[in-house]
Amino acid sequence: MARTLAMFTDVSLCIGCRACQVACKQWNQLAPEEPEWTGTYQNHHHFTDKSYRLVRFFEETDDKGQIKQWHMMSDVCKHCAQAGCLEACPTGAIYRTEYGTVNINQDICNGCRYCVSACPFGVVAFNHDTGTATKCTFCNDRIHNGLGPACAKACPTQSIKFGFRDELAVVARKRVDELKTLGYKDARLYGEDTAGDLGGLNAFFLLLGKPSIYGLPEKPKLPQKNVVVDSLLSIGSALIVGLGALVAFRGRGGQGDA
Amino acid sequence: MEPGLLKSADWPALIDVYFFLGGMAGGAFVIATVANLLDRERYRDIVRIGYYVAFLAVIPGPVLLTVDLGLPTRFLHMLMVAKPSDAIGMDAITIGPFHLKPFSPMNAGAWALLGFSLFAFLAALDVFLEGRGGRSMRTLRVVVGVIGGFFGFFLAAYPGVLLGATARPLFIGAHWLGALFLAIGASTGGAAIAFVLSLSGGQRGDALSRLMRFTAFALIVQLAALALFMLTVSTSGSAGIARSLSHLVAGPYGVPFWLGAVVIGIVVPLALQFAGVIRKTAPAMTALVSVLILVGGFVVKYVIIAAGQAT
Ligand code: SF4
Ligand code: SF4
């Protein structure tokens, strides 16, 4: 495997201009969509089959319900090291590239939508025209030709940085320290730790507060972690039911006593 | 988890129909196999009907899945398309163009469906030939029954494990769905055989009452698994999960859940069984109870999947 590539999104630099969202649409030739009224500048509510990058707007309120702070965050597929979508995919359409990113092979995808419900971040979207699942590819065609993803290229504030994961992690940690000395006490990294949840996210974030402010799960869990326990419990119930059948059908008892 | 930011596969009801029929087929097959092993002559009718029910119930499976996917070739992608095994997930195995992903219940389930269909066909063929006066090969039927029985158990349980391996709030903290679905397969499989048996009047001796006794036992396991499912979900402590659970038991699915899945599907049949009503009355009563169990088995799967997908 080649060196892992990553995207580091620093929300403290985001100005909500949505250049990334537009660049993504253009490069990936994603068709226009009906705008959605979300109550903020955000458009759409969520990732769609035609929006792989999504700038989210959040209003953090205090105890009295007064707006305390605005948050802007350019969201994207996290290319998880342990990816729920990839593990779920029954066809093998979702695969890991040599750069550690997660892609969906559109020719193999059979449209079962299992990945849609298996992503802990709700990233994958189903395209009803092609009957396949779609999401951010980290601009697979660009990164295989030495160009960074379109979003990172377009970002005017360098809120989105692209590069080798290990190098970006150093930059990210320095930036958190910097922000802390500037008084942003709650600044933190999300998904940078490769020993953490989901084995780390290859698109990781710098947040200015709790993940829940940004609609991110505090502790994302790989859904397939359940498979072993659930299977063992199923086997247990199979044994009980099988035993019940043996008892019910065994022996002579001719009169049908219940 | 913030459910608002999760997405749902939004599988249509025909997937529920497939899960229901697959579970019933697996259950009926296992019952027929056990009955055949213990006393092939006494339970001749249960074996015959059980294998027929299993075969007929599994045939629509691939059809329903193909309708959902859109193209027949797409179902094949579940099983084959060459790709390197180290890129497609944990412990994935590829042999030639085929692949098996043990941590993808949908992939493993597709293989189980294929394997079960084959053995259900062989078993149904065997009882059919025997019925036409041909000779049944005893050992072969036992082998087909036992191997097919393992596939049958798998086919009944895997949809529950499949749901448990999604990020949906109602499912991610639940561990009992596979066990629950297995028990539903057993109870509905038993009920399907009992329904046919009681109407065809083909019951011999105490075969039917023994079948009903087993079905009642499966219903108790079903009730226990359902309770444990709700218990694990309700104790997992997140607001999103609590919301999903209340959607199931008190929200739009509350009435079908309690009335359909619990009262009609489990409590009433069990009460009638234990009151001895089934034994003493006409076969019509057994048929009616069987229908209740079948309806309840479908409803419980339907409401759990619907509530899990909606919230
Ligand atoms: S964020 Fe979701 S879609 Fe992206 S790699 Fe992780 S599980 Fe897959
Ligand atoms: S929809 Fe496509 S990519 Fe998603 S799990 Fe199914 S086959 Fe895989």
Side-chain angles (χ1 to χ4, degrees):
Chain A
M1 205 188 252
R3 230 167 131 192
T4 304
L5 290 173
M7 192 122 63
F8 166 43
T9 305
D10 179 348
V11 307
S12 73
L13 294 176
C14 181
I15 53 170
C17 71
R18 292 191 288 198
C20 51
Q21 205 172 320
V22 173
C24 174
K25 256 194 182 280
Q26 286 188 327
W27 180 264
N28 293 299
Q29 300 183 331
L30 303 174
E33 295 164 274
E34 280 290 323
E36 265 171 3
W37 171 245
T38 64
T40 69
Y41 287 118
Q42 179 175 326
N43 208 337
H44 298 267
H45 281 284
H46 210 346
F47 296 111
T48 70
D49 57 331
K50 299 179 185 72
S51 293
Y52 302 163
R53 255 282 170 195
L54 179 67
V55 181
R56 298 191 192 273
F57 294 75
F58 301 100
E59 288 164 358
E60 189 188 353
T61 50
D62 59 18
D63 306 338
K64 294 190 202 72
Q66 297 294 312
I67 294 177
K68 206 168 100 188
Q69 196 179 346
W70 269 25
H71 295 276
M72 287 155 276
M73 168 206 182
S74 179
D75 201 2
V76 71
C77 165
K78 282 76 184 169
H79 296 264
C80 317
Q82 295 162 12
C85 64
L86 187 152
E87 296 300 340
C89 179
T91 64
I94 309 193
Y95 67 102
R96 195 168 296 282
T97 69
E98 66 273 41
Y99 295 122
T101 58
V102 177
N103 265 359
I104 305 180
N105 185 330
Q106 295 294 311
D107 293 331
I108 298 183
C109 172
N110 71 358
C112 73
R113 309 175 314 284
Y114 196 17
C115 53
V116 175
S117 62
C119 169
F121 305 98
V123 169
V124 191
F126 187 63
N127 182 329
H128 287 274
D129 300 326
T130 59
T132 55
T134 55
K135 70 170 192 70
C136 155
T137 69
F138 256 26
C139 288
N140 198 42
D141 46 357
R142 290 176 63 104
I143 60 177
H144 277 86
N145 288 286
L147 300 164
C151 54
K153 250 320 187 262
C155 177
T157 65
Q158 295 190 25
S159 171
I160 306 171
K161 296 184 183 67
F162 176 76
F164 291 115
R165 195 181 201 287
D166 44 1
E167 289 172 10
L168 277 183
V170 175
V171 174
R173 286 194 288 263
K174 248 176 68 190
R175 176 70 183 156
V176 174
D177 294 340
E178 215 173 278
L179 284 167
K180 288 210 160 137
T181 51
L182 287 173
Y184 293 94
K185 287 193 298 296
D186 294 329
R188 72 193 71 197
L189 295 179
Y190 184 83
E192 175 270 331
D193 184 5
T194 49
D197 298 320
L198 306 178
L201 311 176
N202 290 335
F204 57 89
F205 297 81
L206 186 155
L207 308 177
L208 291 176
K210 286 197 308 250
S212 57
I213 297 174
Y214 302 87
L216 293 166
E218 299 283 341
K219 286 197 74 58
K221 174 179 164 187
L222 184 70
Q224 287 75 19
K225 286 238 161 92
N226 288 343
V227 168
V228 174
V229 175
D230 292 19
S231 301
L232 287 175
L233 291 173
S234 305
I235 293 169
S237 115
L239 287 176
I240 293 175
V241 166
L243 220 67
L246 280 175
V247 171
F249 290 113
R250 198 205 47 199
R252 306 202 53 80
Q255 292 315 307
D257 39 77
Chain B
M1 292 280 164
E2 180 48 63
L5 286 184
L6 291 171
K7 286 212 192 85
S8 166
D10 289 332
W11 287 312
L14 56 91
I15 296 297
D16 303 354
V17 174
Y18 160 64
F19 286 169
F20 172 75
L21 291 177
M24 188 177 93
F29 193 99
V30 170
I31 292 169
T33 295
V34 173
N36 180 63
L37 277 175
L38 289 176
D39 193 333
R40 156 189 189 102
E41 279 314 312
R42 174 155 49 146
Y43 299 126
R44 172 182 292 259
D45 297 317
I46 290 184
V47 177
R48 183 171 48 89
I49 296 170
Y51 284 148
Y52 279 152
V53 165
F55 178 58
L56 292 177
V58 81
I59 293 177
V63 180
L64 290 168
L65 293 180
T66 302
V67 170
D68 179 53
L69 297 176
L71 289 167
T73 46
R74 289 188 152 194
F75 179 70
L76 277 185
H77 288 200
M78 298 268 184
L79 314 170
M80 61 185 292
V81 177
K83 74 265 299 175
S85 58
D86 56 353
I88 58 169
M90 296 188 282
D91 299 336
I93 303 161
T94 51
I95 301 168
F98 301 102
H99 62 274
L100 175 68
K101 293 183 62 172
F103 281 92
S104 171
M106 192 182 283
N107 171 266
W111 282 111
L113 176 60
L114 199 71
F116 182 78
S117 303
L118 176 68
F119 285 93
F121 170 72
L122 291 176
L125 186 67
D126 187 46
V127 288
F128 174 74
L129 291 178
E130 191 190 39
R132 304 291 298 272
R135 284 195 44 205
S136 164
M137 285 172 285
R138 292 181 170 233
T139 336
L140 196 71
R141 184 189 285 185
V142 170
V143 172
V144 166
V146 170
I147 301 177
F150 280 108
F151 279 117
F153 269 143
F154 200 105
L155 194 67
Y158 96 85
V161 181
L162 180 155
L163 296 171
T166 67
R168 304 300 305 162
L170 188 59
F171 304 144
I172 190 144
H175 284 302
W176 290 91
L177 285 175
L180 172 65
F181 279 35
L182 187 129
I184 299 173
S187 69
T188 54
I193 301 176
F195 180 75
V196 179
L197 198 58
S198 55
L199 288 192
S200 66
Q203 50 173 321
R204 244 173 258 235
D206 63 350
L208 183 57
S209 81
R210 280 170 182 263
L211 177 64
M212 288 314 284
R213 210 172 353 155
F214 165 73
T215 306
F217 175 72
L219 281 180
I220 295 172
V221 179
Q222 181 175 327
L223 187 63
L226 185 62
L228 286 164
F229 159 70
M230 300 209 296
L231 192 73
T232 46
V233 174
S234 63
T235 51
S236 51
S238 119
I241 294 179
R243 197 157 45 224
S244 295
L245 187 62
S246 73
H247 206 69
L248 173 66
V249 298
Y253 300 105
V255 173
F257 177 79
W258 291 110
L259 192 69
V262 180
V263 174
I264 292 181
I266 302 178
V267 176
V268 172
L270 276 181
L272 291 174
Q273 172 75 20
F274 286 120
V277 177
I278 294 177
R279 251 186 313 139
K280 294 192 195 81
T281 46
M285 191 66 190
T286 310
L288 180 72
V289 170
S290 306
V291 171
L292 295 184
I293 295 171
L294 290 168
V295 170
F298 179 76
V299 170
V300 67
K301 287 186 179 182
Y302 178 84
V303 291
I304 287 177
I305 295 171
Q309 295 206 121
T311 51

